[in-house]
Amino acid sequence: MNTGDHIDSNPFADPSVGEEQQHFVENATLSVGRNASLTLGTDSLILLDEGFTRRETTNCCGLVPSKSKTTKAIPFFNVLWAELSEFDIVIRYAHPTSKDVVRVASVEYLVDKADRPRVTVWISRLLDRAYGESQRNKRIKVLVNPYGGQGSAQKWYTRDIEPIFAAAQCKVDVERTQFQGHAVEIAEKLDADAYDVIAACSGDGLPHEIFNGLGKKSDARRALSNIAVVQLPCGSGNAMSWNSNGTDSCSMAALCVVKGIRTPLDLISITQGEKRTLSFLSQSVGVVAESDLGTEHLRWLGSTRFTYGFLVRLLRKTVYPCDLAVKVDIGSKAEIKEYCRSQTHIRPSMEERRGTPSHSTSPRVEESVGLPALRYGSINDDLPSDWNLLPYDNLGNFFAGNMNYMAPDSPFFPAALPNDGFLDLVTIDGDIRRTTAIKLLLAVEKGTFFDMPDVLYRKISGYRIIPKGQKDGYISIDGERFPFAPFQAEVHRGLGTVLSKSGHLYEGKGLPQSAYSDST
């Protein structure tokens, strides 16, 4: 028997694992200290440390042997940074202290001088796993609305957000807004090459201002593409954070921003009179608009005020007459379900999500100036030839949304996608029975709203609405009150940029799986 061929082989190696994979497995574990090791697991950093047993608090009188773990798993998503100092390896991470709160924590281990080259390589691998597609060391312009969260926004930023950004080695510039519209001015004057992110410590009002400030720049399309707009939830309405981050916790949202993946976002041009405004979240006329804007005096109720206002107006069977023209792209619920099923299982490239495939002959973003031209014209132009303006005298609710959630537990638009080039439009008659109205309200939180027969749900790319029969009323654009006058909307696919956990989907519930099966 010839043993020479096997003299250097490892008798304990798994024969099913290739040489390259075996090498990776061996290099995934780093021995540190006297009785500790760090291992890159499937989705977590695994700490094995016999010292953990000695750090456990003793039980009653120390008489009964306590059960303590010698391992700790830190999800890669929670790893903020790792570095090699003069003597130690230091790993900082977001440690959950409750269901909705994380705080910065760290582990440190001595490293032998001879091991430093290997440790440096291991740290690089750890950060690759921890950040993946997300950008490290983000340059963040933070705008704090001092009135947000009933005056608590600054305190929340200092306590919950700032430490996470610092631990993740982000470069941060903080500025407090001084008046309504100040964020528009700041964003308009901002150097689009100096920052990767603008973060709004506020409700949904400040992101609205930021998008419109970027939209006023001479190189608006480039600025909206280069700078991601995010929300650090510090207001009564935190829909943007619910959709992008799946939370309204300041600390959790800060972690999501650190780990967020650049995601193109559809923006909507609203033309009213001679003014053009960008919308990122929603537009409403009728019940929802009044439930939002007509309950400003109830801000102390938080998000509950929306539910209260919605219920009151539904029970009154209020109608909001108008003339309405809609550019419908997907008109039936069955087609929408099929479309969403096809979209959620694929992840297009960044260019495709912006609607500009790499083979496109359209100008590069860097060469683009101003906002895109309006395909359908403005409210002052003739109606497009393929649009029909029809009376809708019994309108109860006109609600167009660009995101799933409009408030916590309120997924009005479960089929909404960040960059499909469509708005999701819900219209409901105002003269439906009160019992039906209550069922509709309850169905939103249950996730069955989409399939309710009294809900007309369509995917559209534009519309014109002309209120009539009222001298005054409420029109809400991203939660901001607009004049009670005709306006027109048009979707621009992937014009804006946000950060999200997936890079192509919202964190909302979406359509239930049963909805997909029902459509087949």
Side-chain angles (χ1 to χ4, degrees):
M1 182 175 68
N2 183 357
T3 60
D5 293 340
H6 304 280
I7 194 167
D8 295 325
S9 64
N10 180 358
F12 302 102
D14 183 349
S16 67
V17 177
E19 182 178 343
E20 183 176 341
Q21 187 175 353
Q22 183 68 34
H23 177 74
F24 176 82
V25 171
E26 291 173 353
N27 284 275
T29 298
L30 186 68
S31 296
V32 289
R34 297 182 63 181
N35 300 296
S37 66
L38 308 173
T39 300
L40 304 178
T42 303
D43 55 10
S44 299
L45 169 64
I46 310 299
L47 281 65
L48 174 62
D49 188 344
E50 293 182 9
F52 290 158
T53 62
R54 297 190 292 271
R55 297 167 199 160
E56 294 287 335
T57 56
T58 57
N59 53 33
C60 180
C61 303
L63 298 177
V64 182
S66 62
K67 292 183 178 180
S68 56
K69 296 181 179 180
T70 60
T71 60
K72 177 188 295 185
I74 303 173
F76 287 131
F77 186 81
N78 288 50
V79 174
L80 298 171
W81 200 250
E83 59 190 0
L84 184 60
S85 66
E86 187 176 0
F87 301 106
D88 301 334
I89 179 175
V90 182
I91 300 172
R92 296 182 178 86
Y93 62 98
H95 173 65
T97 59
S98 69
K99 180 182 177 182
D100 298 316
V101 177
V102 291
R103 294 284 183 254
V104 175
S106 65
V107 291
E108 300 182 28
Y109 292 98
L110 284 171
V111 173
D112 292 337
K113 185 176 181 180
D115 292 334
R116 291 178 68 86
R118 181 168 180 262
V119 173
T120 300
V121 173
W122 186 91
I123 288 175
S124 177
R125 289 175 178 163
L126 170 61
L127 292 176
D128 285 344
R129 300 288 292 277
Y131 279 85
E133 189 180 332
S134 178
Q135 177 188 352
R136 306 177 197 175
N137 308 117
K138 293 182 175 75
R139 302 169 300 166
I140 306 175
K141 176 72 174 182
V142 176
L143 300 184
V144 179
N145 175 8
Y147 303 103
Q150 299 180 6
S152 298
Q154 181 65 58
K155 178 182 73 175
W156 293 340
Y157 173 75
T158 304
R159 182 190 68 191
D160 300 329
I161 300 167
E162 187 176 37
I164 292 175
F165 286 171
Q169 303 285 303
C170 294
K171 299 175 178 63
V172 181
D173 175 22
V174 184
E175 185 171 352
R176 289 165 56 115
T177 56
Q178 304 297 321
F179 49 85
Q180 187 173 8
H182 191 196
V184 176
E185 296 182 7
I186 294 171
E188 183 179 4
K189 297 174 182 177
L190 201 71
D191 181 355
D193 295 316
Y195 299 96
D196 306 303
V197 178
I198 303 182
C201 284
S202 67
D204 295 310
L206 224 57
H208 172 84
E209 291 188 14
I210 293 169
F211 277 121
N212 279 280
L214 295 175
K216 288 179 177 292
K217 296 177 74 67
S218 59
D219 58 345
R221 274 178 280 182
R222 178 173 176 269
L224 288 163
S225 173
N226 284 5
I227 303 179
V229 180
V230 302
Q231 181 188 47
L232 298 165
C234 295
S236 59
N238 300 309
M240 187 179 195
S241 182
W242 275 111
N243 286 282
S244 298
N245 308 320
T247 182
D248 66 349
S249 158
C250 292
S251 59
M252 289 294 295
L255 173 60
C256 290
V257 168
V258 166
K259 294 302 182 75
I261 299 171
R262 292 177 63 83
T263 307
L265 178 72
D266 296 340
L267 295 179
I268 299 90
S269 278
I270 306 296
T271 58
Q272 188 178 55
E274 300 299 324
K275 186 178 180 180
R276 180 178 180 180
T277 305
L278 292 178
S279 169
F280 78 97
L281 179 61
S282 66
Q283 310 94 49
S284 61
V285 179
V287 169
V288 169
E290 285 201 10
S291 301
D292 182 5
L293 302 174
T295 57
E296 286 289 324
H297 61 294
L298 299 174
R299 276 190 174 270
W300 57 274
L301 284 174
S303 60
T304 306
R305 71 184 176 96
F306 300 109
T307 304
Y308 169 80
F310 195 74
L311 181 60
V312 168
R313 286 156 181 82
L314 278 177
L315 294 178
R316 288 177 182 168
K317 300 179 70 171
T318 310
V319 296
Y320 306 85
C322 70
D323 291 330
L324 179 64
V326 180
K327 171 60 175 174
V328 178
D329 295 271
I330 307 179
S332 76
K333 291 180 180 178
E335 290 175 313
I336 291 173
K337 291 173 184 177
E338 185 59 34
Y339 173 76
C340 287
R341 178 166 54 184
S342 69
Q343 295 298 306
T344 54
H345 295 297
I346 59 174
R347 193 168 186 272
S349 67
M350 177 70 80
E351 291 80 7
E352 290 171 325
R353 281 177 273 156
R354 286 203 187 279
T356 55
S358 55
H359 61 271
S360 172
T361 57
S362 60
R364 294 182 305 141
V365 170
E366 290 80 1
E367 299 172 347
S368 302
V369 295
L371 291 174
L374 295 171
R375 292 173 297 160
Y376 303 133
S378 74
I379 187 65
N380 300 315
D381 295 318
D382 292 337
L383 199 68
S385 58
D386 57 342
W387 294 22
N388 292 318
L389 190 66
L390 301 173
Y392 196 163
D393 295 333
N394 64 333
L395 174 70
N397 184 29
F398 176 95
F399 201 7
N402 195 38
M403 295 184 173
N404 293 154
Y405 283 94
M406 296 296 111
D409 301 316
S410 298
F412 275 98
F413 304 102
L417 297 168
N419 42 65
D420 62 354
F422 302 129
L423 266 172
D424 286 29
L425 175 62
V426 167
T427 52
I428 302 173
D429 295 345
D431 52 4
I432 58 176
R433 299 176 61 181
R434 290 185 176 88
T435 54
T436 302
I438 294 174
K439 288 179 181 178
L440 289 177
L441 179 62
L442 297 175
V444 175
E445 186 172 346
K446 291 179 180 178
T448 58
F449 180 75
F450 179 91
D451 283 314
M452 297 292 283
D454 292 283
V455 174
L456 180 58
Y457 196 114
R458 294 168 284 179
K459 279 189 172 288
I460 67 172
S461 56
Y463 66 85
R464 177 179 294 186
I465 186 167
I466 304 173
K468 62 183 183 181
Q470 291 178 263
K471 291 184 178 180
D472 197 12
Y474 292 98
I475 291 176
S476 174
I477 309 295
D478 295 348
E480 303 297 312
R481 186 171 185 177
F482 272 52
F484 194 68
F487 68 94
Q488 183 162 308
E490 174 180 318
V491 182
H492 305 290
R493 184 180 180 187
L495 177 61
T497 306
V498 294
L499 298 178
S500 71
K501 294 173 76 172
S502 70
H504 72 122
L505 297 173
Y506 291 127
E507 291 302 303
K509 296 177 182 178
L511 289 172
Q513 291 301 313
S514 60
Y516 296 136
S517 60
D518 290 345
S519 65
T520 58

